[in-house]
Amino acid sequence: EAQVTQNPRYLITVTGKKLTVTCSQNMNHEYMSWYRQDPGLGLRQIYYSMNVEVTDKGDVPEGYKVSRKEKRNFPLILESPSPNQTSLYFCASSSPSGSGEQYFGPGTRLTVT
Amino acid sequence: GIQVEQSPPDLILQEGANSTLRCNFSDSVNNLQWFHQNPWGQLINLFYIPSGTKQNGRLSATTVATERYSLLYISSSQTTDSGVYFCAVERPRGGATNKLIFGTGTLLAVQP
């Protein structure tokens, strides 16, 4: 089944404790993105990647890192999480050679205390 | 930047009723998608519809790209249709960012 997976789905952590949210897609998509969703602010892009080893900042990259060592994986790294990073996070993927439709993962609900 | 407006912001329906949700966008787009966010927060792809009309069961969508709007039709609504419906667009890939710009959503509540 074609899908985007994220782990963990739920995470409660403390300020300053490094964490990684994994994202994997099995559709051989070149493009991948991370979004965060906050009440009143909607969904905003954090980082995106056009292919392996090619990443760039989206609209709200501060406090986040990403890497794209393999085509299928695009982990989101919070080196020193803070309470303002409490949010619902989504990973998405698409193919520029296909329709361009973006497929979203199930979301990761992160709480930083 | 491009603006995406959805209407109505909230909608309450009785089970079995029909509804139309609207999405207006302010510039040409390469991609338009409709999503349903269920009460558990998951974003479910409904339609990829940069132009034309598509149908999937009780749901259908129409995008008139030249007039910069899209409509999502829900017929014979069910309680499981409740949630937030988002329209999202992507600008033409001149400076590709793979970024979807989301509207503010329509909150739908279907009552039994």
Side-chain angles (χ1 to χ4, degrees):
Chain A
E1 179 190 355
Q3 61 181 349
V4 180
T5 57
Q6 295 179 227
N7 281 292
R9 295 288 313 283
Y10 303 91
L11 180 61
I12 300 174
T13 190
V14 297
T15 298
K17 185 176 181 182
K18 181 179 178 180
L19 67 92
T20 299
V21 183
T22 64
C23 172
S24 183
Q25 50 93 7
N26 63 1
M27 294 169 279
N28 201 36
H29 285 168
E30 292 85 355
Y31 291 178
M32 297 185 75
S33 286
W34 276 102
Y35 295 82
R36 60 178 289 175
Q37 184 180 25
D38 303 288
L41 296 174
L43 282 99
R44 296 173 292 169
Q45 191 187 52
I46 303 171
Y47 267 95
Y48 64 96
S49 170
M50 312 307 271
N51 215 324
V52 175
E53 303 293 359
V54 181
T55 64
D56 209 342
K57 297 176 181 178
D59 295 323
V60 287
E62 294 77 21
Y64 304 94
K65 286 175 59 177
V66 293
S67 69
R68 189 95 181 271
K69 293 184 171 57
E70 303 167 287
K71 196 173 187 178
R72 63 183 291 126
N73 296 324
F74 190 43
L76 179 70
I77 303 157
L78 285 72
E79 294 268 1
S80 182
S82 63
N84 65 12
Q85 292 178 298
T86 292
S87 189
L88 178 58
Y89 291 86
F90 291 98
C91 179
S93 74
S94 66
S95 173
S97 57
S99 68
E101 180 176 5
Q102 291 204 26
Y103 296 85
F104 280 73
T108 295
R109 200 171 290 276
L110 173 65
T111 301
V112 183
T113 62
Chain B
I2 192 168
Q3 304 297 314
V4 183
E5 297 178 350
Q6 291 186 241
S7 59
D10 305 281
L11 186 58
I12 300 175
L13 298 175
Q14 290 299 121
E15 205 166 22
N18 303 329
S19 63
T20 300
L21 281 56
R22 187 177 179 100
C23 172
N24 292 331
F25 44 97
S26 60
D27 206 343
S28 301
V29 299
N30 219 33
N31 173 9
L32 188 146
Q33 293 183 237
W34 282 97
F35 296 90
H36 173 214
Q37 188 165 36
N38 64 24
W40 295 270
Q42 294 177 309
L43 279 172
I44 310 299
N45 283 40
L46 296 178
F47 293 102
Y48 169 77
I49 187 165
S51 64
T53 297
K54 290 185 178 180
Q55 180 155 7
N56 184 3
R58 297 181 295 104
L59 274 58
S60 63
T62 295
T63 297
V64 183
T66 53
E67 297 187 22
R68 299 180 184 166
Y69 73 88
S70 183
L71 303 173
L72 178 68
Y73 305 96
I74 305 174
S75 65
S76 304
S77 58
Q78 300 175 357
T79 55
T80 51
D81 294 332
S82 296
V84 183
Y85 289 80
F86 289 105
C87 165
V89 303
E90 183 180 1
R91 294 175 64 183
R93 287 196 170 141
T97 64
N98 191 222
K99 178 171 70 176
L100 277 177
I101 300 164
F102 284 76
T104 50
T106 292
L107 176 59
L108 174 64
V110 181
Q111 298 178 337

